[in-house]
Amino acid sequence: MQKWPVGVFASIDAGLGVKLEVAHELGIKTVQLHTPAKASRTKENAEAFSAKLNEYGIKVTCVFLGFEGETYETIARTAETVGFVPKATRAARLAEAFEIADFAKLLGVDAIGSHIGFVPHDRASEDYREMVETIRTLCGHLKANGQRLHLETGQEQAENLLAFLKDVGTDNIFINFDPANLILYGMGDPIGSLKKVGAYVRSVHCKDGVATTGVPGVDWGREVPFGQGEVNAELFLATLKEIGFDGPLTIEREIPEEPARQKAEISQALDLILSIEDKLFA
Ligand code: MG
C-alpha cells in the first residue's frame, strides 16, 4: 500500500534536478521544482508549463528558491553565498523571492522551499535579528499568496532550527527535512533530528550521504544514492510514519552531468521507497 506520494526534484532550466520528461517516464506524479531562470518566470511560461504538467498528470508540490551567485563548492563557500545570509544581496534576493513566489502561485503551488543559508547561532546578535526579520518579511508575502515556507534542513542543528522557527513566529513556516544534509554538513544524526523537529516537517528529501573522513562541519561528506549511505532509509521512513508525516517524499539526486545514471538511481530509489512503504503499511 502506498501512503505517501513519491516525487522527484526537477528543473526546467536551472538547478540540478531531472527534466520533467524523466519524471514522466518514471511514472512519478509529484515534483518539487527548482525555480526557473528569471527570464522564464512569465505568465505565458507558467501557462505552458501548467499545460505540460496536466498532460503528464504531475503536481508541483513545492518551488525551491535559488539565486545567482550561490555555490555549494565547499561548506565555507556555502555559508558565504547561499540564501539570505550575504548582506550585499539580501534585499535583492528578498525581492526576487517575492517574484518567485508569485510565479509559483501562477502554477497553483502553495509551498516555497528555501536553503535560507547558515543562520547565525547567537540569538542575541544583530545578524541573527536581521535574519529573523528577513524571513518574517518573506513569510508575510507568502501568507498573502496563501503559501507556506519550507526551510531546508542541514545547515543547522535541530535545536537551532527550532529556536529560529519560534523566533520568526509566523504560522506558515515549516521544514523540508533533508536527512542527507545533516550528514553532509556534519550537523548530527538525521533520525534523532527528525524526531525533534517532526511537528514542523511538511516535506522531505529522500537523499543519502556518507560523512566526511575529514573535519565534520568543514569538509563535505559525499552524496550517494538513496539507501546506500548513512541515513538508514528504512528507519527514516519508519520515523516519518511515527511522527505522522503525510506529505510527499521527494527523491533528490543531484548529478545532472550524468543523466542516464541519475535516472537509473532515481528509479532504484523509487523501488526502494515503494518496497519500504509496503512493509510499513502492510
Ligand atoms: Mg535537499
Side-chain angles (χ1 to χ4, degrees), residues 9 32 64 115 152-153 176-178 181 205 207 252 254:
F9 204 98
Q32 288 190 351
F64 251 82
H115 277 279
E152 172 89 343
T153 53
N176 182 82
F177 193 90
D178 185 326
N181 281 351
H205 285 163
K207 190 170 89 180
E252 189 178 31
E254 299 188 315

Side-chain angles (χ1 to χ4, degrees), residues 6-10 18 23 28 30-33 249-252 266:
V6 182
V8 66
F9 204 98
V18 298
I28 286 170
T30 75
V31 297
Q32 288 190 351
L33 184 70
L249 305 177
T250 302
I251 299 163
E252 189 178 31
I266 289 168

Side-chain angles (χ1 to χ4, degrees), residues 158-159 162 191-200 243:
E159 292 77 8
L162 279 178
I191 305 300
S193 300
L194 176 58
K195 288 179 181 172
K196 286 180 191 154
V197 302
Y200 287 96
I243 66 171

